[in-house]
Amino acid sequence: MALRTLPSLGFLFHILLAGGVLAQGNTQTIRGTILDSDTRQPLIGATVVIVGSSPIKGSTTDLEGRFAIAEVPTGRLDLQVRMVGFEEQRLTNQLLTSAKELVLDVRMRESVTQLGEFEVKAPVRKGVVRNDMATLSARTISVEETSRIAGGINDPARMVGTFPGVASDPGGNNTIVVRGNSPKGVLWRLEGVEIPNPNHFSDDGSTGGPINVLNSGMIDDSEFYTGAFSAEYGNVTSAVFDMRLRDGNDRKREYTLKAGVLGTDLTAEGPIPGTKGGSYLANYRYSTLALLDGAGIVDFGGVPRYTDAAFKVKLPSADFGTIALYGLGGRSAILDEDRGVADDTLFSRAEFGSRMGVLGLSHTKTMGESSFLSTSVSLSGNGSGTDYEESAAPGEEPLELRHTDDLAKWTWRLSSTLNSRINARHKLRSGVIVSSEQFRMYVNSWDPDRQRMVVNLDRTGSARTMQAFSSWKWRWNEQWSLTSGVHLLYFDLNQSASVEPRIALRYQIRPDRAFTFGTGLHSKTEGLMTYLAQDIDDAGNISRPNQGLGLTRAAHVVAGFEQQFAEDMQLKAEVYYQHLYALPVENDPTSAFNVNNMSEWFTNKPLVNKGTGYNRGLEVSLEKFFTRGYHYLITASYSESKYKALDGQWHHSRFDLGPVANILGGKEWKLGPQGKDRILMAGFRYSVQGGQYYTPIDLAASIAAGREQEGNPSWSDKGKSVHKVDIVASYRVGRPKVSHEFKIDVQNVLNAATPVYYYFDSRTETIQNVPQLAILPVMQYTLRF
């Protein structure tokens, strides 16, 4: 049944942005592979047609499920994929350029209703994740979409800040707050395996940073989850980034060169000689500012230096399945000096560096006609180091060491998942994940009370985490589907365990309308630094008060509604409640300290799992997907986040933001005479979010002590709402086998300066603030050939 076309709620946007774009003149090839999503078997005889082509251009898959459509005019297009007995797919807004073939990996789902010789037409749902075990609170992250979102600067972690219920860091990092939870609760995965925080200049315990290590040119369409997770996701309470590396072109060599403010990089891909379907993909990037500094073109303090690389090698085999070797790594460092403006007096110096890396080997093999097994082994490592020195008195040298740390972790992980289709209605997915972590951690900081350096952390050792899950999906009919499962988590450092049942339901009341519901238990470990932190008394006795700390736990409940007004317009709403329990709070009946108010680092305060709390809220989004040359998205959410520590009082959590809203849009225009592949794109984003809560600073006590002292009551003051306007524009020129793109992405174009954080400045004996990130223009040139 075709979807009903209702009057658009975004009528104003239609008037302002109406107009189509279809570049012609240059041509390129579209090809790919079509597989059964449940068994990974190739689908023979599936048809792929370019929607609206005249005469009709299309192709049919061969014995290996491959198809190819040659000499397709470049531009944006939709593809219709059909196969007898499978639900029809429509791949919308595919961008075809003259410099690169469009290579697709299509997975089709068997239909519950078999119609003999006729294909089954399912409703076209956009933004839906590939993982069909995920029923709600899930969204696809499209790389192409990331490139045209204002303020996204080609970073998926920044792009998700436009999703309902997600708030970005106004200070400029890509750290996110999801449904009132601490950013510490975000989980990163790559190729189905948990990885360390993939960001440059990141502290241990954090999940974000200013620049993502993973280059956008390496990423395939990925997935983002915000709650009520399916059974395969464990050790997480806030959100999941589930990223995938794309495959390289297995037929021809292609290259992409980018030069911009955030880095200069080269991506290469192509076939591996002597293999059928084998390919490689590799990227290397270096800090542009560091290059300019080395050449003497720029000269200022605090130049950020970073480099990263990534690769993927794919080797398919008819007998042994598909093997993929992949890797990702990055290093970053910065030297920052605090000097007087008038006399260049050196007050302090900080040198910081961080590193991370992942090397993995995955294997996927079909098991008969109804199952496939995916297994992955990976070695990951991450670490950071800091040296901070300051003068004992203004202008006094040499500087004295006030903090030093050296943190390193290496983790082996084994993950294996078996997917089985019993029939068109029933599907099972079960797996195990085993992690073995080795660590070396040292932190030595100045204690102002004792007036000496004190070791807060000094430990080497290992810790292991074991997880298992099983998930069952039952599609009763075309309207009702049920997903249920259980996740098991065990952490051997403190012998903590968790059994987490989960269930989700979807009711497709009609092709354009659906109701969803999901609930489940979730838990996560804290950062290793928190468990291993130590305290040394005046007699030299060492205690580690938190080594027996248990898991942080939560129960999620989500209900949702989806309404499609047309194939390219969708309204979604979700209401959620998260009951938080076993929160780590300070073991002090007068304290309101809660680990979930931290976004990184650790504490050596004695903690117990006796805190409780909740997050609750409502999210609404109206999205007009990119068709006819334009798109827009309007999101609004309101959340409340509170907790209770051992003091027995209810407190606002630090991330109790309240309202968060976004309005964004974009438009493409075809320029020049017919046959010229010239595209101009422009977009904007306006965002507003409530300020974070903070504990007021007691100025008088701070002046008397010579350092910051907290006032009362705890977490009682709320920061001002943060408003921001971003713009993006690009100009793309296509020539046969080569394309050029010039792009500028400007964050905070109005240069708003709302205070975000407050601190006590002992030199001026005043309370100062750190404003939101100032105007930041990011320019980039891209050459594809």
Side-chain angles (χ1 to χ4, degrees):
M1 179 186 298
L3 293 177
R4 295 190 305 162
T5 302
L6 302 180
S8 169
L9 297 182
F11 181 68
L12 178 60
F13 282 89
H14 283 272
I15 295 177
L16 295 176
L17 302 178
V21 173
L22 180 59
Q24 297 180 0
N26 295 320
T27 63
Q28 187 54 272
T29 298
I30 302 174
R31 59 185 185 82
T33 305
I34 301 178
L35 303 176
D36 185 322
S37 64
D38 294 333
T39 67
R40 296 298 192 269
Q41 297 278 3
L43 295 182
I44 305 169
T47 60
V48 183
V49 174
I50 300 174
V51 177
S53 57
S54 180
I56 294 176
K57 292 185 71 70
S59 178
T60 303
T61 55
D62 60 16
L63 295 176
E64 296 178 336
R66 297 174 178 268
F67 71 92
I69 310 174
E71 298 184 352
V72 180
T74 57
R76 295 187 183 274
L77 46 86
D78 295 349
L79 296 173
Q80 187 179 57
V81 185
R82 293 179 173 177
M83 176 71 184
V84 173
F86 287 77
E87 294 181 352
E88 174 188 315
Q89 279 204 36
R90 188 149 176 164
L91 309 179
T92 61
N93 191 36
Q94 301 297 310
L95 178 59
L96 183 66
T97 65
S98 59
K100 294 177 70 66
E101 291 184 339
L102 179 59
V103 183
L104 301 171
D105 176 19
V106 183
R107 298 176 187 176
M108 302 188 72
R109 186 173 68 170
E110 186 178 7
S111 173
V112 173
T113 305
Q114 300 289 334
L115 296 180
E117 296 301 319
F118 298 94
E119 68 278 347
V120 179
K121 186 170 184 179
V124 178
R125 297 169 54 208
K126 299 178 185 287
V128 178
V129 296
R130 179 176 286 186
N131 182 358
D132 64 354
M133 290 290 183
T135 302
L136 73 175
S137 297
R139 171 66 191 259
T140 295
I141 306 172
S142 163
V143 176
E144 186 279 329
E145 187 178 12
T146 302
S147 68
R148 55 181 163 79
I149 296 297
I153 55 176
N154 297 323
D155 184 349
R158 297 182 188 275
M159 186 255 184
V160 300
T162 65
F163 295 168
V166 182
S168 303
D169 177 15
N173 282 352
N174 61 14
T175 306
I176 57 171
V177 173
V178 180
R179 293 180 171 176
N181 288 289
S182 166
K184 289 166 63 73
V186 174
L187 172 69
W188 285 91
R189 287 168 41 123
L190 180 67
E191 296 292 298
V193 177
E194 180 181 347
I195 63 171
N197 178 6
N199 284 283
H200 288 296
F201 306 103
S202 58
D203 273 327
D204 195 86
S206 68
T207 58
I211 301 169
N212 203 310
V213 173
L214 189 54
N215 191 289
S216 62
M218 297 288 295
I219 307 174
D220 197 357
D221 288 351
S222 301
E223 294 163 1
F224 181 68
Y225 303 90
T226 58
F229 312 111
S230 59
E232 64 196 273
Y233 297 111
N235 199 20
V236 59
T237 55
S238 174
V240 178
F241 279 101
D242 200 352
M243 315 294 287
R244 288 190 295 269
L245 297 174
R246 66 180 181 88
D247 297 334
N249 193 321
D250 61 355
R251 298 284 180 87
K252 59 183 291 189
R253 293 185 179 89
E254 295 176 336
Y255 304 91
T256 301
L257 173 66
K258 295 180 182 179
V261 172
L262 295 184
T264 300
D265 68 90
L266 176 66
T267 302
E269 60 185 291
I272 297 178
T275 66
K276 186 174 183 180
S279 65
Y280 68 87
L281 173 68
N283 171 270
Y284 178 77
R285 176 173 60 176
Y286 195 82
S287 165
T288 301
L289 290 177
L291 290 172
L292 297 176
D293 180 60
I297 298 175
V298 298
D299 183 18
F300 61 88
V303 173
R305 302 176 183 276
Y306 55 89
T307 183
D308 51 60
F311 74 92
K312 181 178 182 180
V313 177
K314 179 182 178 182
L315 296 171
S317 167
D319 297 326
F320 300 103
T322 299
I323 296 174
L325 178 67
Y326 61 92
L328 168 69
R331 298 181 67 92
S332 54
I334 189 169
L335 174 63
D336 186 35
E337 294 183 337
D338 182 11
R339 292 182 177 272
V341 177
D343 55 3
D344 201 36
T345 300
L346 179 61
F347 294 106
S348 65
R349 179 190 295 118
E351 186 173 2
F352 174 76
S354 68
R355 59 201 179 276
M356 70 81 57
V358 180
L359 181 64
L361 180 68
S362 65
H363 176 244
T364 302
K365 180 173 175 54
T366 57
M367 311 290 288
E369 296 183 354
S370 61
S371 302
F372 72 93
L373 179 69
S374 294
T375 303
S376 180
V377 179
S378 70
L379 172 64
S380 62
N382 68 302
S384 62
T386 307
D387 288 312
Y388 174 73
E389 302 170 308
E390 68 178 18
S391 57
E396 183 178 310
E397 294 195 39
L399 301 180
E400 298 179 359
L401 183 66
R402 288 293 183 262
H403 175 90
T404 183
D405 64 61
D406 181 19
L407 310 171
K409 292 186 291 186
W410 304 267
T411 306
W412 283 100
R413 284 190 175 89
L414 170 66
S415 172
S416 186
T417 302
L418 177 64
N419 293 262
S420 300
R421 183 175 63 203
I422 300 173
N423 53 43
R425 299 180 184 274
H426 298 278
K427 176 181 176 180
L428 294 175
R429 180 179 300 161
S430 302
V432 294
I433 307 167
V434 180
S435 305
S436 179
E437 196 165 36
Q438 312 294 315
F439 55 82
R440 183 191 73 242
M441 297 185 172
Y442 178 78
V443 178
N444 193 1
S445 299
W446 178 260
D447 188 326
D449 293 323
R450 300 174 184 175
Q451 288 295 295
R452 62 181 174 85
M453 297 287 286
V454 174
V455 176
N456 306 120
L457 187 60
D458 186 10
R459 188 78 180 271
T460 60
S462 63
R464 283 158 293 279
T465 304
M466 285 156 276
Q467 301 177 66
F469 68 88
S470 185
S471 188
W472 166 54
K473 182 159 189 174
W474 176 30
R475 291 193 291 164
W476 183 12
N477 53 36
E478 291 184 333
Q479 289 182 304
W480 289 93
S481 64
L482 173 73
T483 304
S484 61
V486 63
H487 189 99
L488 309 177
L489 172 64
Y490 176 75
F491 185 44
D492 82 332
L493 187 69
N494 51 22
Q495 290 79 52
S496 294
S498 180
V499 179
E500 302 162 11
R502 302 170 190 181
I503 189 168
L505 183 69
R506 181 180 181 86
Y507 175 41
Q508 192 79 40
I509 188 172
R510 64 189 198 194
D512 62 348
R513 182 176 297 171
F515 294 91
T516 55
F517 174 81
T519 185
L521 300 182
H522 309 274
S523 65
K524 74 176 296 295
T525 60
E526 294 298 324
L528 278 175
M529 296 173 69
T530 299
Y531 294 113
L532 304 176
Q534 67 184 39
D535 191 22
I536 304 177
D537 62 22
D538 293 334
N541 299 313
I542 299 176
S543 63
R544 295 188 176 92
N546 300 323
Q547 189 161 329
L549 190 69
L551 302 172
T552 301
R553 302 172 187 265
H556 291 188
V557 180
V558 184
F561 171 74
E562 300 175 10
Q563 175 68 56
Q564 281 190 264
F565 297 113
E567 286 192 355
D568 62 353
M569 182 176 291
Q570 178 177 261
L571 172 73
K572 293 186 70 173
E574 288 190 347
V575 58
Y576 64 87
Y577 184 87
Q578 298 177 351
H579 172 60
L580 313 178
Y581 60 106
L583 295 178
V585 296
E586 186 174 8
N587 191 16
D588 181 347
T590 66
S591 173
F593 181 84
N594 175 13
V595 168
N596 279 12
N597 285 330
M598 303 172 66
S599 60
E600 57 189 12
W601 209 231
F602 73 103
T603 180
N604 59 1
K605 296 177 182 289
L607 304 173
V608 291
N609 292 106
K610 293 185 178 181
T612 59
Y614 65 84
N615 302 318
R616 61 187 180 189
L618 171 67
E619 305 166 355
V620 181
S621 66
L622 174 66
E623 183 166 13
K624 193 276 181 188
F625 297 92
F626 201 108
T627 58
R628 301 188 298 278
Y630 71 100
H631 73 100
Y632 60 81
L633 171 66
I634 303 171
T635 70
S637 61
Y638 187 87
S639 64
E640 182 182 59
S641 178
K642 291 187 177 182
Y643 75 95
K644 184 165 60 175
L646 293 191
D647 64 352
Q649 303 295 317
W650 282 102
H651 301 275
H652 294 280
S653 81
R654 173 183 172 183
F655 306 106
D656 185 8
L657 303 182
V660 177
N662 291 273
I663 302 176
L664 60 92
K667 167 72 175 160
E668 283 188 353
W669 295 269
K670 177 182 178 297
L671 304 179
Q674 188 72 14
K676 297 295 183 180
D677 194 355
R678 300 174 181 173
I679 302 296
L680 174 66
M681 183 274 290
F684 74 96
R685 173 190 173 190
Y686 166 72
S687 63
V688 58
Q689 63 185 57
Q692 296 182 7
Y693 274 89
Y694 62 95
T695 299
I697 298 173
D698 187 328
L699 181 58
S702 299
I703 293 174
R707 64 182 187 276
E708 185 172 298
Q709 299 292 305
E710 293 184 345
N712 282 303
S714 299
W715 305 103
S716 59
D717 288 8
K718 185 173 177 61
K720 296 180 180 179
S721 296
V722 179
H723 299 258
K724 186 164 72 85
V725 177
D726 306 322
I727 60 173
V728 63
S730 69
Y731 177 59
R732 187 174 70 248
V733 181
R735 297 286 185 266
K737 299 183 179 180
V738 64
S739 70
H740 308 265
E741 184 178 28
F742 304 87
K743 180 181 178 183
I744 182 169
D745 193 336
V746 185
Q747 294 203 51
N748 193 12
V749 68
L750 300 181
N751 203 25
T754 304
V756 179
Y757 309 109
Y758 296 89
Y759 67 96
F760 173 71
D761 187 337
S762 60
R763 292 206 299 266
T764 63
E765 295 187 336
T766 58
I767 296 175
Q768 301 292 322
N769 70 75
V770 177
Q772 68 187 96
L773 181 68
I775 183 172
L776 177 64
V778 178
M779 294 170 286
Q780 180 178 273
Y781 164 70
T782 303
L783 171 65
R784 299 180 176 91
F785 58 100

